[in-house]
């Protein structure tokens, strides 16, 4: 966030400097408000670009095997352009590289759900999906594994028929 702010200031100074040079080269025939207006507009344009390109840039940098399963868009009154096109600030992904299967529990997959937010550190949640029952249990310190690989103390949640995270996690065990 700090680097984006510094980059916006640098762009504003550069564009303001170009506008000042254009005004000077025209013999001051260009209006004087052109210098701060062009600097301010360029900084706003850069911030809007960075907001709208964040999700795409983040997805491009994810390693192979990390599947985006949901994204959250938002509209804000202090960012009026978001009413024209909502901006993505949060992504949910399943890291299938970390998926683990247990021979004693063939319809369950243990994997990691990643929560990615703009200007936020990545949060990783270990989960178990019961692919045959279409359920999910988050792993926490209260959850333990029984000798047969089943979960003890887990709170299972039913998932929708079209849950993309379940589909991504269970792709390894379903044909």
């Amino acid at each position: 966030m700090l680097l984006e702010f510094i980059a916006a200031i640098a762009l504003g100074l550069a564009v303001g400097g170009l506008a000042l040079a254009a005004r000077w080269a025209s013999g001051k025939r260009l209006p004087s408000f052109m210098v701060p207006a062009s600097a301010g507009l360029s900084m706003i344009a850069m911030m809007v670009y960075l907001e709208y390109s964040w999700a795409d840039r983040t997805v491009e940098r994810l390693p192979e095997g990390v599947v985006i399963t949901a994204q959250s868009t938002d509209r804000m009154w202090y960012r009026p352009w978001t009413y024209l096109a909502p901006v993505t600030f949060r992504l949910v992904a399943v890291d299938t590289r970390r998926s683990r299967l247990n021979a004693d529990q063939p319809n369950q997959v243990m994997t990691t759900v990643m929560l990615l937010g703009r200007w936020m550190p990545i949060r990783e949640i270990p989960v178990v999906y019961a692919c045959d029952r279409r359920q999910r249990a988050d792993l926490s310190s209260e959850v333990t594994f029984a000798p047969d690989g089943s979960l003890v103390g887990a709170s299972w949640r039913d998932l929708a028929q079209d849950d993309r995270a379940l589909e991504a996690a269970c792709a390894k065990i379903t044909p």
Side-chain angles (χ1 to χ4, degrees):
M1 185 168 159
L2 179 62
L3 291 178
E4 289 181 4
F5 178 71
I6 292 170
I9 296 295
L11 177 68
L13 290 172
V15 170
L18 290 173
L20 184 64
R23 185 170 186 269
W24 179 78
S26 72
K28 296 190 177 185
R29 285 183 291 231
L30 294 174
S32 60
F33 71 83
M34 185 179 114
V35 175
S38 61
L41 287 175
S42 67
M43 290 169 35
I44 290 172
M46 179 179 178
M47 296 310 289
V48 169
Y49 166 76
L50 289 173
E51 283 183 356
Y52 279 100
S53 66
W54 169 80
D56 293 333
R57 289 182 287 125
T58 301
V59 170
E60 284 176 8
R61 288 193 311 260
L62 291 175
E64 188 175 328
V66 176
V67 180
I68 299 296
T69 58
Q71 66 180 26
S72 174
T73 58
D74 216 349
R75 292 180 168 100
M76 288 154 266
W77 65 269
Y78 55 90
R79 292 179 172 134
W81 52 88
T82 61
Y83 286 96
L84 296 173
V87 65
T88 301
F89 284 111
R90 291 174 295 283
L91 299 170
V92 178
V94 173
D95 190 353
T96 61
R97 300 170 306 156
R98 296 183 183 176
S99 294
R100 301 290 181 261
L101 303 174
N102 184 335
D104 294 333
Q105 298 292 327
N107 291 315
Q108 291 184 1
V109 177
M110 183 171 69
T111 190
T112 303
V113 172
M114 300 169 61
L115 305 176
L116 300 100
R118 181 145 166 80
W119 302 308
M120 302 292 285
I122 296 173
R123 288 191 50 214
E124 295 181 348
I125 303 170
V127 298
V128 172
Y129 286 98
C131 300
D132 57 340
R133 300 189 321 255
R134 303 195 69 76
Q135 292 181 322
R136 168 187 159 171
D138 295 348
L139 298 179
S140 64
S141 59
E142 294 85 34
V143 178
T144 58
F145 289 93
D148 67 348
S150 62
L151 298 180
V152 177
S155 176
W156 290 95
R157 293 191 308 227
D158 293 330
L159 301 173
Q161 288 295 326
D162 60 346
D163 190 277
R164 293 177 60 197
L166 177 76
E167 292 170 7
C170 294
K172 275 189 165 184
I173 62 172
T174 55

